[in-house]
């Protein structure tokens, strides 16, 4: 097993090709150990070169709505009147800190996602 650092996109492509060959390796085998090493190297390279920032607050709310089959009406306890919910979902009004707390506590949306647009 020869493993070297991933320094560029060509190395990344080669790492993915090798990972495909060992991905289904039986647990405890040498190939499974190699698979774990490749996954760690690939994740490290991607985190450094392709960082993903926190979600947009409105997108985070819409994602949670989709996950829990919520309607805009279901957001009223967290955001206020139906008009206010509409303004927030249409990006015409920003979230207040009180709304952020209520959404976090009630719908378990991470603070980082709700505050990223603040």
């Amino acid at each position: 097993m020869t493993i070297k650092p991933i320094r560029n996109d060509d190395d990344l492509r080669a790492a993915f090709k090798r990972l495909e060959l060992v991905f289904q390796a039986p647990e405890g085998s040498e190939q499974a150990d190699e698979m774990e090493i490749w996954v760690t190297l690939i994740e490290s390279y991607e985190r450094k070169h392709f960082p993903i920032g926190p979600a947009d607050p409105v997108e985070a709310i819409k994602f949670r709505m989709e996950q829990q089959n919520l309607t805009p009406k279901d957001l009223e306890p967290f955001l206020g009147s139906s008009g206010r919910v509409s303004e927030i979902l249409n990006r015409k009004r920003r979230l207040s800190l009180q709304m952020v707390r209520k959404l976090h506590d009630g719908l378990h949306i991470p603070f980082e996602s709700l505050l990223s647009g603040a």
Side-chain angles (χ1 to χ4, degrees), residues 11 19 31 42 47 59 63 71-72 107 111:
D11 290 345
L19 179 62
Q31 289 85 12
I42 290 167
R47 241 188 327 275
E59 292 304 316
F63 179 71
T71 65
L107 298 179
F111 281 122

Side-chain angles (χ1 to χ4, degrees), residues 60-118:
I61 294 167
K62 288 180 177 179
F63 179 71
R64 183 66 76 208
M65 289 174 70
E66 184 179 318
Q67 284 182 318
Q68 296 181 358
N69 291 321
L70 301 174
T71 65
K73 179 111 177 111
D74 297 321
L75 296 179
E76 289 179 17
F78 309 106
L79 302 177
S81 69
S82 62
R84 183 164 292 153
V85 170
S86 177
E87 288 175 341
I88 288 169
L89 293 179
N90 290 307
R91 302 175 192 279
K92 294 180 180 176
R93 178 187 288 263
R94 295 174 67 112
L95 294 170
S96 69
L97 288 178
Q98 182 179 2
M99 291 175 192
V100 167
R101 269 191 234 105
K102 286 181 178 181
L103 287 165
H104 174 76
D105 293 342
L107 298 179
H108 308 289
I109 301 173
F111 281 122
E112 300 83 35
S113 296
L114 294 169
L115 295 171
S116 66

Side-chain angles (χ1 to χ4, degrees), residues 47-63:
R47 241 188 327 275
K48 182 177 179 183
H49 296 281
F50 307 106
I52 298 174
D56 170 77
V58 173
E59 292 304 316
I61 294 167
K62 288 180 177 179
F63 179 71

